[in-house]
Amino acid sequence: MDSRRVVTVSARVDAAVSSTDSVEDELELSTVRHRPEGLEQLEAQTRFSRKELQILYRGFKNECPSGVVNEETFKDIYSQFFPQGDASTYAHFLFNAFDTDHNGSVSFEDFVMGLSILLRGTVQEKLIWAFNLYDINKDGYISKEEMLDIMKAIYDMMGKCTYPVLKEETPRQHVEIFFQKMDKNKDGVVTIDEFIDSCQNDENIMRSMHLFENVL
């Protein structure tokens, strides 16, 4: 689903009214496994308008008729955007970041809440979301190995076409540089405060964060 469609929603009132009725009927009458929260509640919880949520819901339901997406389906969808590489590992990490209640599936609510932060969130909110992505085991810290796992997954996803002369040790070298800057007290792990402070105050790290946002 192209996120540009979200910001170019038609302003025609008559179309909005008719689509509102049809989507609300779907929410009430469909026999999917998971029924999303009401549009009003999602509108209050996210930075999307009612019409934007309607478009997002249609796209989500087209890809996931059951109302939820499991990890394998998520990987299949995500890999279509990166045919030149292997996106499966990064998609696994991304799926876990969207699956906030860790039940093995991503609902429309999970998807919209995450997308709202990535597209419309403050810098602080985006960095907290990114920290959660890097904190693979969800212990509240980022280890050097966790950062390396994410970095390797990104390089694998971008493929040899993007990095034709990439040496095997390059991801580790990049992680060493980032981790040294972030681990302020040199205790071997990066806390969320260290992560946010480093990203906000280091121009090079912020550029790398923008690269990671682009692959989301």
Side-chain angles (χ1 to χ4, degrees), residues 120-136:
R120 306 276 172 85
T122 64
V123 170
Q124 181 97 350
E125 289 170 335
K126 290 179 180 179
L127 288 175
I128 292 172
W129 198 94
F131 180 89
N132 182 59
L133 173 68
Y134 279 79
D135 180 17
I136 296 172

Side-chain angles (χ1 to χ4, degrees), residues 184-199:
K184 303 285 190 183
N185 62 359
K186 309 303 178 189
D187 63 350
V189 293
V190 173
T191 65
I192 190 166
D193 290 335
E194 288 174 325
F195 182 82
I196 292 174
D197 182 65
S198 297
C199 291

Side-chain angles (χ1 to χ4, degrees), residues 10-162:
S10 169
R12 291 177 54 190
V13 175
D14 55 342
V17 171
S18 63
S19 63
T20 298
D21 293 340
S22 64
V23 172
E24 287 186 333
D25 288 342
E26 286 186 77
L27 298 187
E28 291 294 327
L29 302 176
S30 65
T31 57
V32 297
R33 280 199 306 122
H34 178 86
R35 290 177 180 169
E37 301 287 348
L39 291 181
E40 288 185 4
Q41 183 173 341
L42 288 177
E43 187 178 0
Q45 293 173 337
T46 68
R47 291 181 171 89
F48 294 124
S49 69
R50 189 181 187 87
K51 289 184 286 185
E52 289 171 335
L53 287 168
Q54 290 165 359
I55 289 176
L56 287 169
Y57 178 68
R58 287 198 191 96
F60 187 90
K61 193 177 178 187
N62 284 339
E63 295 289 349
C64 315
S66 67
V68 294
V69 56
N70 61 29
E71 183 171 339
E72 289 308 309
T73 302
F74 187 88
K75 286 180 179 179
D76 289 342
I77 295 171
Y78 200 75
S79 64
Q80 296 173 21
F81 297 99
F82 300 93
Q84 76 278 16
D86 180 2
S88 59
T89 303
Y90 187 77
H92 165 72
F93 295 139
L94 193 60
F95 178 86
N96 287 339
F98 273 102
D99 180 17
T100 53
D101 51 7
H102 311 300
N103 65 356
S105 63
V106 171
S107 66
F108 180 64
E109 294 93 331
D110 294 332
F111 173 70
V112 167
M113 295 293 286
L115 198 63
S116 176
I117 292 172
L118 293 173
L119 296 181
R120 306 276 172 85
T122 64
V123 170
Q124 181 97 350
E125 289 170 335
K126 290 179 180 179
L127 288 175
I128 292 172
W129 198 94
F131 180 89
N132 182 59
L133 173 68
Y134 279 79
D135 180 17
I136 296 172
N137 66 1
K138 310 306 177 193
D139 65 351
Y141 303 95
I142 299 174
S143 69
K144 191 177 293 186
E145 289 305 311
E146 285 176 321
M147 189 176 287
L148 180 60
D149 286 344
I150 296 288
M151 186 71 74
K152 283 181 176 177
I154 290 173
Y155 280 121
D156 288 344
M157 177 176 62
M158 302 308 289
K160 295 183 184 292
C161 297
T162 308

